Amino acid sequence: MLVSTKGRYALRVLIDMAEHQGQGYVTLKEIAKRQEISEKYLEVIVKVLVRNGFLVGVRGKGGGYRLAKSPDECTAADILALTEGSLAPVSCLEQDAPSCHRAAECRTLPLWKGLDDVIQNYLSQFTIADLAKQNQEYDYVI
């Protein structure tokens, strides 16, 4: 599994917004500057986050974006599944995947199911609030 920049940047945007949620609506320009991400690329990411209820946007003077949910309600698994489409390690485990005629005899299926469970369980234990807190404790970049 390779997480794209879209998934990584979506996490960074939400962490940034959690850290600045007391400031009201935050502009993309501010986020782009702090995160060193193209404002144009952020527009694409933010559109997905708004459409799926993670952000609320207001146009005009004093406008921008703010979190639509508490940072405690947003997990890394939720955000990455949304932006990446799937976190499954193999295509046969993706949601709505067609049935594999070899599933009953597949010697590796238990391995892939186990890995999928580990990925889901691991990413589900981290909320945006957790990641924002870590950012204050450590100097790191996603």
Side-chain angles (χ1 to χ4, degrees):
M1 175 183 90
L2 184 64
V3 177
S4 70
T5 56
K6 190 173 183 181
R8 294 190 340 256
Y9 289 178
L11 287 171
R12 285 173 51 188
V13 165
L14 292 171
I15 292 166
D16 187 280
M17 296 187 95
E19 292 172 340
H20 296 92
Q21 66 182 343
Q23 299 174 2
Y25 288 92
V26 181
T27 66
L28 283 185
K29 188 174 190 171
E30 293 170 310
I31 297 168
K33 184 177 179 183
R34 283 193 296 261
Q35 295 300 318
E36 299 177 348
I37 301 172
S38 158
E39 197 171 336
K40 273 287 198 213
Y41 195 33
L42 279 183
E43 289 174 7
V44 173
I45 294 167
V46 165
K47 183 184 273 188
V48 171
L49 294 172
V50 168
R51 190 174 339 129
N52 289 279
F54 287 94
L55 296 178
V56 174
V58 173
R59 294 179 185 245
K61 187 174 179 168
Y65 297 90
R66 68 172 174 77
L67 295 173
K69 298 180 179 186
S70 166
D72 291 322
E73 297 176 41
C74 307
T75 68
D78 295 336
I79 304 308
L80 292 175
L82 178 67
T83 56
E84 299 300 318
S86 174
L87 298 175
V90 290
S91 62
C92 63
L93 293 178
E94 290 180 352
Q95 189 174 11
D96 300 326
S99 296
C100 176
H101 70 280
R102 293 185 38 85
E105 303 92 34
C106 184
R107 300 282 178 99
T108 60
L109 188 57
L111 170 79
W112 301 128
K113 282 184 177 179
L115 179 57
D116 190 43
D117 289 344
V118 168
I119 291 169
Q120 289 298 325
N121 291 333
Y122 182 77
L123 293 174
S124 293
Q125 68 183 326
F126 292 96
T127 66
I128 296 301
D130 296 329
L131 297 172
K133 182 180 174 187
Q134 285 181 358
N135 195 30
Q136 294 169 358
E137 295 173 1
Y138 306 103
D139 186 23
Y140 77 98
V141 175
I142 295 177

